[in-house]
Amino acid sequence: MLVPGVRHGLHVPRSLIPLVLGTVAVAAAIVGWAVFAPRQITTDNAPGGANLLAEVRSIAYSVPADGGVDHIFVRNASAGAEPELVAVIPHFPGFHARGAASPLGDRIAVLSVASGVFASLSVIDVTARETLAIPGSFDYLSALAWSPDGRRLAAAQSATEDGTRVGRVLEADIAAGTTRMVAEFRNAFALAPVGYSIDGERLFIVVVDETGSHLWERRDGEVRRLAELSPGRTRDWALSPGGSRLAFIDVLGAGSRTYVGRVLTIATGAISTQPAEKDQLGAAWEPGSPVPVFGGPGGALALEQPGPEGGYVVPMDWAPAGDTWVATVIVPGPDRTVRPQEFIELQTRSSRERIATEPGSSFFGWVRSLD
């Protein structure tokens, strides 16, 4: 089922053509679609190699159900595949489960709020369908960062102590079922563990405070600032699979655009901007690509006919094989009093399949197939 007035296709906006021509070949239109052509694989790839390509072919996502619970499903990415229920998570009204799959696709970390204001963190073993509770309380909207080997998981916790806002990054040891604090920041507006280096030795953390947005790292027990992302706010951070680049959205205060997609090269501190005529929202990395794909009205993937109210695509994550991705299609209401419609879709160069339409549904990531 498609959004009324939206054709079964995407296109690459004209404003991105100079950048794409400078780095990769542009794919020709295929059955009404036009997206980036396959790129040569670089060294900036996730760990796991051929096993990931062969085994991580399913998606994990949640759908709200009656009785104040979220159902966590796993289903194969092939067209028409049936989802399988792997867990049931209780939720407080309005606080639906959020989560992230591990890099190896064998576990899913889930943040949920059953009562109160803090979230609980649990880890679901996809194959065994068993759930492990992680000690501690966490921010419901925290980013979740897995180490490349899937043994550690970082999340944020914030509180007000003696009138001061204190943000902490907690790291869980999955096998031991323990949690420790690895970084602390004061007076931060936002705090996000965004990922680990490919060797797992460095944990990257974005901190937004009154001085702007900065990238920090925690390494060998020490925490230090690496680079400035922006003198203002940033959002939608996405670390590349190999941990060498950070894509993010710079939130501007004035001008014709409010949200601008940028990329930080961590080794040099250099920041590049991806050209666009309209706002960009969200970022994802196609396997083997040296540049991210931003979403939003000015994104690299766009609906061919977005309809009278507009409509845009926000890519969430690519399958390790690079042939399929999950995206959120957002269709605004006729005015600001009407809540936008959001649909989670499986997409390829020649097809789109809607997998969740219920408000509060959430995509968690790519996981190992259950069959």
Side-chain angles (χ1 to χ4, degrees):
M1 182 175 67
L2 295 175
V3 181
V6 178
R7 285 180 54 188
H8 217 185
L10 303 178
H11 77 278
V12 179
R14 184 182 303 274
S15 62
L16 288 179
I17 291 178
L19 173 67
V20 176
L21 290 178
T23 56
V24 295
V26 178
I30 302 175
V31 195
W33 288 66
V35 296
F36 291 114
R39 306 178 179 98
Q40 292 185 348
I41 300 299
T42 70
T43 57
D44 194 13
N45 292 315
N51 288 338
L52 276 181
L53 299 181
E55 298 175 11
V56 181
R57 298 289 303 169
S58 293
I59 58 171
Y61 61 100
S62 68
V63 177
D66 294 336
V69 298
D70 291 306
H71 286 173
I72 312 301
F73 291 107
V74 169
R75 61 152 283 182
N76 192 277
S78 58
E82 289 295 324
E84 297 187 48
L85 184 67
V86 297
V88 177
I89 305 294
H91 69 79
F92 192 73
F95 292 85
H96 294 285
R98 303 178 57 255
S102 67
L104 301 181
D106 55 348
R107 298 185 177 105
I108 309 167
V110 179
L111 285 167
S112 59
V113 179
S115 61
V117 296
F118 290 104
S120 298
L121 179 60
S122 55
V123 173
I124 302 170
D125 185 305
V126 173
T127 303
R129 305 192 188 192
E130 297 176 347
T131 301
L132 170 69
I134 301 298
S137 58
F138 302 85
D139 293 343
Y140 169 65
L141 296 178
S142 172
L144 294 169
W146 284 94
S147 63
D149 59 11
R151 296 179 180 179
R152 290 169 290 154
L153 174 67
Q157 176 198 76
S158 60
T160 300
E161 300 176 1
D162 297 327
T164 300
R165 182 176 175 84
V166 180
R168 299 182 176 95
V169 176
L170 306 182
E171 184 181 68
D173 183 312
I174 304 303
T178 58
T179 306
R180 62 172 181 155
M181 185 186 74
V182 295
E184 180 177 284
F185 302 89
R186 293 186 173 271
N187 296 316
F189 304 143
L191 174 65
V194 294
Y196 289 79
S197 59
I198 197 167
D199 60 5
E201 296 297 322
R202 307 163 70 190
L203 170 61
F204 299 113
I205 305 164
V206 171
V207 178
V208 182
D209 58 23
E210 61 183 6
T211 67
S213 299
H214 295 85
L215 180 67
W216 294 66
E217 73 166 359
R218 201 257 187 194
R219 183 176 190 176
D220 297 329
E222 300 292 331
V223 178
R224 70 184 185 100
R225 188 164 61 182
L226 291 178
E228 181 183 70
L229 303 181
S230 168
R233 292 192 300 124
T234 56
R235 52 175 283 182
D236 301 351
W237 312 281
L239 191 68
S240 64
S244 66
R245 300 175 180 88
L246 180 70
F248 62 95
I249 299 298
D250 195 355
V251 182
L252 305 182
S256 59
R257 294 174 60 200
T258 302
Y259 305 104
V260 176
R262 306 194 197 278
V263 182
L264 167 74
T265 300
I266 295 175
T268 64
I271 293 178
S272 59
T273 300
Q274 208 172 79
E277 297 175 356
K278 298 180 180 180
D279 285 339
Q280 295 161 300
L281 296 168
W285 293 86
E286 183 179 358
S289 172
V291 294
V293 177
F294 291 104
L301 300 177
L303 298 168
E304 287 183 336
Q305 292 186 358
E309 289 83 27
Y312 54 87
V313 178
V314 178
M316 305 295 288
D317 197 14
W318 262 259
D323 57 346
T324 310
W325 61 91
V326 174
T328 299
V329 175
I330 300 177
V331 180
D335 55 58
R336 293 187 176 183
T337 65
V338 180
R339 183 185 180 91
Q341 294 179 296
E342 297 187 14
F343 311 102
I344 301 174
E345 294 187 353
L346 270 169
Q347 301 181 349
T348 71
R349 290 177 173 82
S350 60
S351 67
R352 290 167 56 189
E353 181 182 2
R354 189 162 296 170
I355 61 173
T357 61
E358 296 84 349
S361 299
S362 183
F363 169 65
F364 292 167
W366 291 85
V367 297
R368 295 177 183 269
S369 298
L370 297 178
D371 48 16

